Amino acid sequence: MKPANTPPWQSVVNKRAVIRVALGLLLATWSSLAAAASTFVEVKAAHHPSDTLILDRHGELIHRLRTDPTVRRGQWLALADISPALRTAMVLSEDKRFYEHAGVDWRAVSAAAWANLWNTRTRGASTITMQLAGLLDEDYQRGSGGRSVLQKAGQAVSAQLLEQHWRKDQILEAYLNLVPLKGELVGIDALSRTLFDKAAHGLDEREAAVTAALVRAPNAKAAQVAQRACGVLKIMRPTANKADCEGLDLFTTAALQRQAFDTSTGIAPHLARRLVASHRAELAAARGAAAPNRVQQRARAATLRSSLRADVQRVALAALQQQLRELQGRHVEDGAVVVLDNASGEVLAWVGSSGDLSSAAEVDGVTALRQPGSTLKPFLYAQAIAERRLTAASLLEDSPTHLQTAGGLYIPQNYDRQFRGWVSSRTALGASLNVPAVRTLVMVSPDAFHKQLLRLGLPLKESGDYYGYSLALGSAEVSLLNLANAYRALANGGRSAPTALTPGTKPATRAALDPRAAFIVGDILADPLARARTFGTDSVLARRYWSAVKTGTSKDMRDNWALGYSQRYTVGVWVGNASGEPMWDVSGTTGAAPIWAAVMNHLHQTQPSRPPKPPPGVVQTQVQFAGAVTPGHRASALEARRTEWFIQGTQQTAFAMHLAATKLQITGISGQIGSEFGTQETQGRITAPASGTVIALDPDIPPAHQRLTFSAEGHNLRWLMDGKMFAKGNSAQWLPWPGRHVVQLANAKGRVLDEVRLEVRGAGVKPAPTSSARTR
């Protein structure tokens, strides 16, 4: 037992002796751990920021995305990148003899022991090195009841080991990057960006004092933090007076309420999310085989290099936002841009939305499914040319037409609701005429065209029969990324390959389209004269370098597109509303095309773009066109004489419409050509109803209101119903009767000029009541 008259100083001496002996024993016991202690390099490499940095292909930072929702860590900062004011504040506040001791401040330990003896409050004896030791080893971390004696002793030993193997600047650097602060914030980088909205190298004395105060009490109230910060400020600046601390209350309150560290910032948010998701999938797959260790996974996840070019990404985003600002007032706020490298398929720009201009900025317009409008036409004509159903000079009729489908009549219209008569395939595609495209799909068939689109990497949800003839005009839904990649296949001679988000990828290619047809279609899309009838010769689509481009607009102006490629790049642009609401008076040349042109111009500021070389199997031939040829009359030219490309074996020199024996045939001047397109009567034809029409009768409606009206073009016409004449002239009315019927149109001599078939369903029309019936 301790003698009753033992003086207090003797107890302190005894306690010191006991502590020194205990520490000595622990040091001897754990000295073997020195070799196993983590090095500074290992600790730095194992640092796992809560954000992933996305770099462009050249290493430039383009986006930062938070990927760890459990904690908020910033990037590892070198000591030189932390403000001197903060370094000074932390040392003076936490460990003023940091540069003097070897891990344990024995003077502070003695002072703490003396204070504990007399129940006096003290700041404690834990040095920065000891705190770092506790951060590096979970066994030494403070519990709810504080650290035990054994934990404190082990922490002191670990601190001394750190001092033996680490430099002072490394210890301070690691501490500032690992120290827990307010709430979920860990490390100086996260705190300075969240509370002060600036990098750590820019913190001033007042901000440094608040930061140092938070180390002591991370979750203290603003008033307490301000009071502690005032004390730190006075230590840092001995000349500080009361006035220097008066504004700290408001300043601290504002700082603690600020949340400036956004979870996503930069110029490529949608690409960042997609790249991170892809990286995680790769890691998950790797774990099933030979997974990298945890440190390597964290280090790899902290920074991801993308295939993007920062300059192209910035130009694409700026061009999109500028164009949407110019379209203000036309009910359009969203858009997307994607740029592909033709050779590698690497994505050079990925702009998923218009950012702040959009009310749905999180929606990725690059991958969203939308109706592509006329942008599918190049693939349709390429298929028809490859199958030798058409040539670039073949004549197609741009006139009103009605097509019977399972869902009823399909009546295609041109964008301007005008018709241009007979035109060549080159003109029909270049000027984006709808009716000739539908006629072409009739030749190819919706099912065959659907299969062609699948080969080009356009995964349509439904079958070709589901879309029907409207597939020629883009009634299916596709993404901008897949559509742009399909255009890239045209640029690559019909060979398709997946896109890539990381540099250095070399995906395997496969044949998706006849290279000869791809070349001819590309030549058409690059021809300013071919599109002149619709877009003029000086439209925004015309570039001073070689490029092939196609625009498109979906039904009700809900989507607007511009897709095109040069020798090296493919650029795709979509403009519309993420909500699906229609735009107001926005066409291909006023919506997406200016953005396409701006991006293409940037790509070719210094780089030329030359036309592709003709593949084997195509030939060039001089062709001429003539209008309707009648005996004794000279044919009028339909289109100007030109040099045209053909798949070898399909070339010819002249195209004309020959009028003979009441048949209008597509013929050549030196012989008949294009017979696969059939013939058409010119002396008369039925314009309504279309063949295949189904009529439903309602017996409760008076007969006079259910008569069916027929109309036709021609002269001296006769109408026959099931072989019996029932009317004359260009129009006729008929009282429908259930059953299938054949309606024929004949001339005055009885020659049948045209016929349609229709079906009437429902009960027969009630006959008029007799006089006796009225009297009952």
Side-chain angles (χ1 to χ4, degrees):
M1 294 181 58
K2 182 177 67 175
N5 58 352
T6 302
W9 62 266
Q10 184 66 48
S11 298
V12 173
V13 171
N14 292 338
K15 288 183 179 181
R16 286 186 179 179
V18 171
I19 293 174
R20 288 181 182 275
V21 171
L23 290 179
L25 292 174
L26 288 171
L27 182 60
T29 303
W30 294 336
S31 59
S32 60
L33 298 177
S38 298
T39 66
F40 173 77
V41 175
E42 290 172 342
V43 171
K44 182 177 179 180
H47 180 70
H48 181 33
S50 59
D51 297 340
T52 297
L53 301 183
I54 307 299
L55 310 180
D56 85 334
R57 61 190 308 110
H58 302 300
E60 181 179 343
L61 178 63
I62 57 175
H63 204 87
R64 177 186 53 76
L65 179 69
R66 182 174 182 179
T67 51
D68 186 350
T70 63
V71 70
R72 198 72 169 113
R73 290 192 190 93
Q75 299 299 310
W76 185 279
L77 298 179
L79 195 59
D81 294 330
I82 300 174
S83 74
L86 180 57
R87 284 180 276 166
T88 301
M90 295 298 287
V91 171
L92 293 178
S93 174
E94 292 299 307
D95 189 359
K96 62 182 178 181
R97 284 183 289 272
F98 172 69
Y99 292 102
E100 301 174 13
H101 61 68
V104 179
D105 187 351
W106 294 110
R107 292 171 58 184
V109 170
S110 300
W114 185 266
N116 289 334
L117 179 65
W118 296 103
N119 296 321
T120 305
R121 293 181 60 86
T122 179
R123 65 165 296 276
S126 181
T127 64
I128 286 178
T129 312
M130 292 174 65
Q131 293 181 52
L132 177 60
L135 296 173
L136 296 178
D137 193 331
E138 295 179 356
D139 293 336
Y140 303 145
Q141 292 182 2
R142 181 189 298 271
S144 57
R147 293 187 180 91
S148 65
V149 175
L150 187 60
Q151 281 181 313
K152 292 180 179 179
Q155 187 181 16
V157 173
S158 295
Q160 291 179 321
L161 292 177
L162 283 175
E163 292 280 353
Q164 292 176 14
H165 296 88
W166 290 26
R167 301 191 310 269
K168 285 289 188 179
D169 62 315
Q170 293 176 334
I171 294 173
L172 184 58
E173 178 178 319
Y175 175 75
L176 293 176
N177 281 284
L178 300 176
V179 61
L181 296 162
K182 179 177 174 57
E184 64 176 1
L185 301 177
V186 174
I188 297 304
D189 185 46
L191 181 130
S192 61
R193 294 185 183 278
T194 301
L195 301 190
F196 307 118
D197 195 18
K198 61 171 62 176
H201 64 77
L203 297 181
D204 58 24
E205 286 187 341
R206 184 171 57 169
E207 293 161 340
V210 172
T211 302
L214 285 171
V215 174
R216 292 283 188 88
N219 298 313
K221 295 182 178 180
Q224 294 174 313
V225 175
Q227 184 179 2
R228 290 192 179 100
C230 179
V232 175
L233 192 62
K234 290 179 179 179
I235 298 174
M236 294 173 62
R237 194 196 315 162
T239 59
N241 52 39
K242 184 178 179 180
D244 295 324
C245 294
E246 286 181 350
L248 274 178
D249 285 339
L250 292 177
F251 176 79
T252 303
T253 301
L256 295 182
Q257 293 176 349
R258 188 178 295 119
Q259 297 292 328
F261 201 11
D262 294 334
T263 58
S264 178
T265 180
I267 58 175
H270 303 88
L271 180 279
R273 288 195 290 269
R274 191 175 183 89
L275 194 61
V276 167
S278 176
H279 177 74
R280 286 176 174 171
E282 291 176 2
L283 286 180
R287 292 190 186 100
N293 62 52
R294 188 176 183 85
V295 172
Q296 290 175 328
Q297 288 179 18
R298 287 181 171 183
R300 286 170 55 190
T303 302
L304 297 177
R305 187 181 294 267
S306 70
S307 59
L308 267 60
R309 274 177 48 182
D311 63 310
V312 180
Q313 180 76 8
R314 291 191 184 93
V315 168
L317 178 59
L320 173 62
Q321 293 178 336
Q322 176 63 29
Q323 179 65 8
L324 291 180
R325 290 189 182 97
E326 292 182 3
L327 293 175
Q328 189 175 9
R330 299 194 186 184
H331 199 248
V332 52
E333 63 176 24
D334 294 301
V337 184
V338 66
V339 180
L340 305 177
D341 183 277
N342 289 343
S344 65
E346 294 174 0
V347 178
L348 304 180
W350 183 304
V351 180
S353 77
S354 57
D356 295 338
L357 301 180
S358 171
S359 59
E362 295 300 312
V363 177
D364 190 349
V366 174
T367 58
L369 297 179
R370 313 288 298 204
Q371 289 189 339
S374 295
T375 57
L376 294 186
K377 290 177 183 175
F379 311 119
L380 173 60
Y381 282 95
Q383 184 175 4
I385 291 172
E387 295 175 355
R388 303 195 176 205
R389 300 178 185 274
L390 284 178
T391 70
S394 296
L395 294 175
L396 295 168
E397 187 180 13
D398 182 27
S399 63
T401 186
H402 303 72
L403 297 173
Q404 177 65 30
T405 68
L409 289 178
Y410 179 60
I411 307 174
Q413 295 281 343
N414 287 324
Y415 180 82
D416 57 4
R417 299 192 176 274
Q418 302 293 320
F419 299 97
R420 292 160 179 80
W422 291 91
V423 295
S424 69
S425 299
R426 175 176 288 270
T427 298
L429 174 56
S432 195
L433 303 179
N434 288 343
V435 176
V438 174
R439 295 186 188 277
T440 302
L441 183 57
V442 172
M443 304 178 205
V444 172
S445 85
D447 186 61
F449 184 42
H450 177 270
K451 293 177 180 177
Q452 175 63 73
L453 295 176
L454 293 180
R455 288 193 294 271
L456 287 164
L458 295 172
L460 307 186
K461 290 184 176 180
E462 307 294 343
S463 66
D465 291 337
Y466 174 86
Y467 298 112
Y469 298 119
S470 65
L471 188 58
L473 308 183
S475 60
E477 291 185 330
V478 301
S479 70
L480 175 60
L481 180 64
N482 289 337
L483 187 57
N485 199 39
Y487 271 77
R488 173 176 158 250
L490 286 175
N492 288 332
R495 299 199 66 83
S496 178
T499 57
L501 299 181
T502 55
T505 306
K506 294 182 180 179
T509 64
R510 56 181 177 79
L513 190 64
D514 189 310
R516 301 167 298 178
F519 170 80
I520 294 173
V521 165
D523 186 74
I524 295 173
L525 297 180
D527 184 1
L529 296 179
R531 54 176 174 259
R533 290 198 181 189
T534 298
F535 302 100
T537 57
D538 59 346
S539 73
V540 69
L541 303 177
R543 302 290 92 203
R544 64 180 183 277
Y545 43 84
W546 187 90
S547 61
V549 59
K550 182 74 186 72
T551 62
T553 303
S554 67
K555 185 179 179 180
D556 298 329
M557 291 188 180
R558 298 180 186 275
D559 307 280
N560 189 247
W561 307 78
L563 278 295
Y565 54 91
S566 62
Q567 182 182 12
R568 183 172 177 181
Y569 306 105
T570 296
V571 177
V573 180
W574 167 80
V575 167
N577 293 301
S579 63
E581 295 181 5
M583 300 171 283
W584 300 338
D585 193 25
V586 179
S587 66
T589 54
T590 61
I595 304 169
W596 177 87
V599 175
M600 270 294 187
N601 286 344
H602 175 77
L603 291 168
H604 291 286
Q605 279 183 326
T606 58
Q607 187 172 25
S609 177
R610 299 180 178 86
K613 295 181 180 180
V618 296
V619 294
Q620 234 177 350
T621 303
Q622 283 283 338
V623 297
Q624 56 182 334
F625 301 87
V629 180
T630 56
H633 293 81
R634 185 176 180 180
S636 58
L638 286 172
E639 296 185 12
R641 182 192 300 263
R642 65 170 181 260
T643 301
E644 189 58 87
W645 289 101
F646 296 88
I647 292 179
Q648 194 165 13
T650 64
Q651 68 270 25
Q652 56 195 52
T653 59
F655 294 80
M657 293 181 298
H658 182 67
L659 185 62
T662 73
K663 297 285 187 178
L664 182 63
Q665 298 177 333
I666 307 174
T667 66
I669 293 177
S670 57
Q672 184 172 349
I673 58 177
S675 60
E676 67 268 26
F677 308 131
T679 62
Q680 179 187 357
E681 300 287 349
T682 60
Q683 298 301 301
R685 72 184 185 94
I686 299 174
T687 57
S691 185
T693 298
V694 177
I695 302 164
L697 295 177
D698 187 340
D700 295 324
I701 299 178
H705 294 282
Q706 296 200 70
R707 292 183 180 275
L708 181 63
T709 300
F710 296 89
S711 59
E713 295 176 351
H715 303 282
N716 299 321
L717 302 177
R718 306 289 189 271
W719 293 93
L720 291 84
M721 177 66 67
D722 298 328
K724 297 180 180 180
M725 190 180 74
F726 69 95
K728 296 180 180 180
N730 291 82
S731 63
Q733 286 192 333
W734 173 65
L735 184 65
W737 192 254
R740 291 188 174 93
H741 306 280
V742 178
V743 183
Q744 294 176 314
L745 188 70
N747 60 15
K749 296 181 180 181
R751 179 182 178 84
V752 176
L753 304 177
D754 197 4
E755 72 174 32
V756 296
R757 295 178 181 271
L758 52 86
E759 181 181 355
V760 179
R761 297 177 182 174
V765 180
K766 295 178 180 179
T770 61
S771 57
S772 59
R774 292 192 189 99
T775 61
R776 292 178 181 176

